[in-house]
Every structure is written in structure tokens, then in C-alpha cells.
Amino acid sequence: MSDLSNKKPETGAFFQRDRAWHAPALTPGYKTSVLRSPQKALLSLDGTISEITGPVFGHSILGELDNDLIHNFARPGESAIGERIIVHGRVLDERGKPVPGALLEFWQANAGGRYRHKKETYLAPLDPNFGGCGRAITDEEGGYRFRTIRPGPYPWPNGVNDWRPAHIHFSIFGHGFAQRLITQMYFEGDPMIWKCPIVTTIPDRRAIEQLIAPLDWANTIPMDARAYKFDIVLRGRRSTLFENRLEGN
Amino acid sequence: MVQNLGYLKESPSQTAGPYVHIGCTPNFAGITGVYETDLGSSMVNDKTLGERITVRGRVIDGAGTPLKDAVVEIWQADAAGLYNSPSELRGAADPNFSGWGRCPTSADEGVFTFETVKPGRVPYKDGRRMAPHITFWIVARGINIGLHTRMYFADEPEANAEDPLLARIEHRHRVATLVAPREGSIYTFDIHLQGENETVFLDI
């Protein structure tokens, strides 16, 4: 779909996923997972060309305001209400290498915790100037950034009194379909994080901490917006030094 | 002591949630004017090479109820068996075919639909040819990490019989969960998340 650079594309198979680091499929505290989790074991498959390859998107798909959620749905001259923030970071792979050309899509509730979605019935009002979606493509160093308002927590029908912490959803495309990932970003210091049955589907506290973005004072813009830094790690891939087999060594 | 390998850990997955459409298919969610079209809503154009097919189906939970809030993505080779990806080094794929599609399951019946072409065969890692297939990735509320599977074609019995992945399925009656029946130009691929007819999901 696009020529990202003149670097030789990588074609090694991806490191296997550490499924003890990720949440298991069945996490009864998150009730919807009970009927939506496979009960049989996954069939393991070392990456073939069907998984090593994946769609890559060019900057031509991006509109001027795609990474500005404060303005991309707002009427001319107006802006979304809420705490103005910048979210930025890098997309790296497990080897620490930047992932350029990664498409990130993000979505979130407004400052009051209300989503612009027909199935959403929370009584907090919609913000007429806030849609809640945005996207960006990483630069050569794997960097991305967008501007938004900080989302509010919202209640959800799981337990009687469950509330999601403030969060932004991220969908990420790396270079291979096996890297496809959807996750959520949380905010440093939010006491709701450790009460949340979705957060705690992840068994390892260090893995949860990987999803908590710290306040980034250095990148905070005076009199304008505070910054949060959120780095994302995608699966690494084996080297292709030994190309006696089609998938690498 | 030895050197530290120095690898990072992959960011852990979280569910896409019920409002995944806001970010991935905003026009479908009624959020218009931000993106011209929903990404992945069209895979082909007038010039795309190959046999036009429709792939449709549902994602069904452990109680037999179709999910009406799932998003399904597919990734496949073009009619000649080439992927439209920078990591494809065997040749140039059809420039009029994206190879990637994304479709939410409908709010009424829970059906996803892709207008695409039948993929050509691609090599397995030892050089054997795999049967034509489409890679699926399913996310939804209640799914903590996206589920990978493959759809094969019921009208390719010989290719399916020699497919290296299908050959590895120990419980042979489960092979059928990956093979979509054909009616005219329509293939129907129902994905069962759980239970008796549970689809074979992959750790890829």
C-alpha cells in the first residue's frame, strides 16, 4: 500500500506470544468473557507468510485533524470540553527497534465518561464538539502523537457498582498481521485502575503497569495542554540471516 | 551471571470493548465527517484480478447467540497468491487489491460481509503449498485478546487435503470448522467461539 522507506523489509517470523503475560480468554470477573472464550486449546503455528505479512498504510489516508480529537468533530471555531492533553510515545518491537509506519487508531469517551455510540445509555451528556476517534501513523523513529481531552471514568453493567478507569483504546497495526493488537491506555495515579475487572484480567502487575501512561511534564505545553507518554511494544521478529528456509532461521 | 537478553515485553492486549466501532468504523457508528470512509470497508475495485466472491458469516457465543458488537478483520493473498505487503518479496501483488478488510457484525443479525476475490495458493515454510485460505482476526467485548483463525474453501477438497495446517488438527472432525461451504459466489463462515462446534483458533 505504500513505500515506507528504502530499508530492506524484514521477513523473519515473529517471536511467539507470551500468553502468560496477556490475559487468558476466560476471566469470569469480566462477565462477558464467560461465553466468549474458547474452551479448547489454541493450535500453535510458527509464522507462515500469511502471518508474517500484513497491511501497511500510507500517510495519504490521514486527514489534517485525524490526530486532533479536540477539533476533528468540533464545529468551526469551537472545541471539545475537558482537560486538554497530548498523548505521545513510540511504537517499538520486543527487540527495542522502532516500528515506523505503524497505524494507530484510538477511541475514547468524552470528559464526562460518555461515548458517542448508539448503544451507550449513560446519563452523562454528549459533548456536541467531541466525536472520540482519531488516528496517526508512526514516523521513522516509531513516534506518534495526538491531542485530545482526558476521558472520564464511566459505570458499566458488570458488577453492581463497576466503573472503568479513565482510558483510551488503541488499535495498532505493525508490519505483520501476527502483530495485530488492541489494548487500552490508563493514566498515572488513577485509583480506579486496580478496581477494574477488565484491567485485572491481566494476571501480572508488571504487565498492567505497562499500560499506565506517566504524566510527561517535559512535554507539557505551558498554558495549553499536559502531556502523557505511552510507549507501545509489538512482537519482535527473528533475524533472516539464514534464508535456507522461506520463513527465515 | 550472563548478559541480559534485553528484550522488551509485548504490550498486553485488552478487550476492544462494545464501542470499538467509534475508533475502527466511526461512520458505521454514526460518527460522520471525521474520516471519509471506514478503513477496510472496500477491498476490491473494477480492475481487481480474480474470481469475485462474497464471504459472510456470524460470530457465535457459547450460548448460540450471534455477537452484534464484534469487528472482524481479514487478510489474504491476491488471486495470484501474493500479499499486498512490504514483507512480500516474491513479487508485486495486484495493486487493485488491498488484501485487508474490516467489517463490524451487523446490529440486527450479527452478520459480517466481505466482497473480495478468491486467494491463490501460497507456500508453507518448507515450500509445500498451502490450500487457499483467508486469515481472520476477531475482536469484541468479552474477548481479551484478538482471536486468529483461518477460513478454507469447501470447493478446494484436494488442496485442503494436502494443507499443512489442516493436517495438524488432531481431532479430525474439527477440520470442518475451518472450511466454508459455497453457494453460488457466496461462502458462509460461521465462527463459534465456544462449545460443541468450537472453531479452531490459532496461536500464531
Side-chain angles (χ1 to χ4, degrees):
Chain A
M1 295 181 192
S2 74
D3 295 321
L4 285 170
S5 73
N6 51 15
K7 286 182 198 144
K8 188 168 178 277
E10 293 189 292
T11 55
F14 291 98
F15 296 171
Q16 69 188 65
R17 215 162 222 161
D18 181 355
R19 288 184 182 266
W21 184 252
H22 290 281
L26 175 61
T27 48
Y30 174 25
K31 294 181 179 179
T32 315
S33 76
V34 173
L35 284 172
R36 296 186 173 193
S37 47
Q39 292 169 328
K40 297 181 173 63
L42 303 180
L43 179 66
S44 299
L45 178 71
D46 189 28
T48 74
I49 193 164
S50 303
E51 295 80 33
I52 291 166
T53 56
V56 173
F57 303 89
H59 285 79
S60 61
I61 68 165
L62 299 181
E64 203 178 329
L65 294 177
D66 280 8
N67 68 345
D68 183 355
L69 281 69
I70 293 178
H71 296 107
N72 69 7
F73 191 77
R75 292 180 291 237
E78 300 192 19
S79 58
I81 288 175
E83 299 177 32
R84 296 164 59 88
I85 59 171
I86 288 161
V87 178
H88 75 110
R90 296 174 78 201
V91 180
L92 306 169
D93 76 9
E94 289 169 294
R95 302 167 299 177
K97 287 191 173 189
V99 183
L103 172 67
L104 308 182
E105 299 163 295
F106 7 87
W107 66 100
Q108 62 168 92
N110 69 22
R114 175 72 187 267
Y115 282 96
R116 186 173 287 280
H117 193 284
K118 52 187 176 295
K119 280 193 176 169
E120 161 72 282
T121 56
Y122 183 33
L123 48 76
L126 287 169
D127 176 345
N129 292 306
F130 186 73
C133 62
R135 58 189 179 186
I137 292 177
T138 56
D139 60 26
E140 281 299 314
E141 283 76 49
Y144 75 91
R145 62 174 46 224
F146 62 97
R147 178 153 65 167
T148 187
I149 52 92
R150 179 169 159 143
Y154 75 95
W156 59 300
N158 187 65
V160 171
N161 190 24
D162 278 335
W163 293 71
R164 296 301 323 281
H167 64 278
I168 300 176
H169 297 264
F170 278 71
S171 164
I172 308 111
F173 288 83
H175 295 172
F177 206 56
Q179 286 178 308
R180 198 74 184 80
L181 182 71
I182 281 183
T183 189
Q184 301 182 27
M185 178 196 115
Y186 304 99
F187 292 84
E188 178 183 5
D190 186 344
M192 309 290 294
I193 292 171
W194 306 102
K195 296 179 186 296
C196 176
I198 288 180
V199 173
T200 54
T201 60
I202 299 172
D204 191 320
R205 187 183 174 100
R206 293 167 303 164
I208 293 173
E209 288 169 347
Q210 199 176 353
L211 298 182
I212 304 175
L215 179 65
D216 177 1
W217 204 243
N219 273 294
T220 289
I221 303 175
M223 307 301 285
D224 183 343
R226 291 176 307 147
Y228 285 86
K229 185 162 189 283
F230 186 56
D231 288 344
I232 296 163
V233 180
L234 301 180
R235 296 167 70 179
R237 61 199 315 167
R238 303 202 294 262
S239 71
T240 47
L241 281 173
F242 304 101
E243 292 185 280
N244 56 328
R245 294 201 300 168
L246 285 171
E247 95 283 20
N249 61 323
Chain B
M1 293 293 283
V2 296
Q3 290 185 356
N4 189 324
L5 276 168
Y7 294 130
L8 304 173
K9 294 298 287 183
E10 185 185 12
S11 295
S13 173
Q14 290 262 268
T15 180
Y19 309 128
V20 56
H21 313 103
I22 295 173
C24 292
T25 57
N27 290 290
F28 173 85
I31 301 173
T32 56
V34 182
Y35 308 151
E36 201 170 306
T37 59
D38 287 337
L39 208 58
S41 56
S42 172
M43 300 175 70
V44 295
N45 63 35
D46 296 343
K47 297 177 191 157
T48 307
L49 303 173
E51 182 192 355
R52 300 302 174 102
I53 61 169
T54 300
V55 175
R56 54 185 306 177
R58 297 169 300 165
V59 182
I60 299 164
D61 74 12
T65 303
L67 274 57
K68 294 167 184 172
D69 53 12
V71 168
V72 177
E73 292 185 6
I74 65 173
W75 173 241
Q76 64 165 98
D78 67 11
L82 293 168
Y83 282 100
N84 191 341
S85 163
S87 304
E88 171 62 89
L89 303 180
R90 297 171 299 143
D94 181 352
N96 294 301
F97 183 61
S98 69
W100 175 76
R102 174 190 272 166
C103 187
T105 57
S106 63
D108 50 358
E109 302 285 320
V111 174
F112 61 81
T113 306
F114 295 98
E115 301 299 334
T116 184
V117 296
K118 198 167 174 186
R121 297 180 71 169
V122 300
Y124 191 57
K125 48 196 176 179
D126 59 7
R128 280 184 288 166
R129 290 192 306 162
M130 294 191 276
H133 63 271
I134 296 176
T135 297
F136 273 68
W137 190 68
I138 302 117
V139 293
R141 173 174 68 103
I143 296 178
N144 291 326
I145 182 165
L147 293 165
H148 284 276
T149 187
R150 279 186 184 184
M151 185 197 106
Y152 288 83
F153 298 81
D155 56 335
E156 297 283 346
E158 286 152 28
N160 291 343
E162 61 186 32
D163 182 80
L165 173 74
L166 294 178
R168 287 188 45 218
I169 298 175
E170 179 183 356
H171 303 96
R172 298 309 294 164
H173 69 280
R174 300 194 66 209
V175 171
T177 68
L178 301 187
V179 182
R182 176 174 193 155
E183 202 175 316
S185 62
I186 299 172
Y187 292 88
T188 301
F189 187 50
D190 281 343
I191 295 159
H192 294 264
L193 296 178
Q194 185 187 91
E196 203 176 332
N197 299 315
E198 186 172 307
T199 299
V200 174
F201 295 104
L202 305 173
D203 186 2
I204 59 174

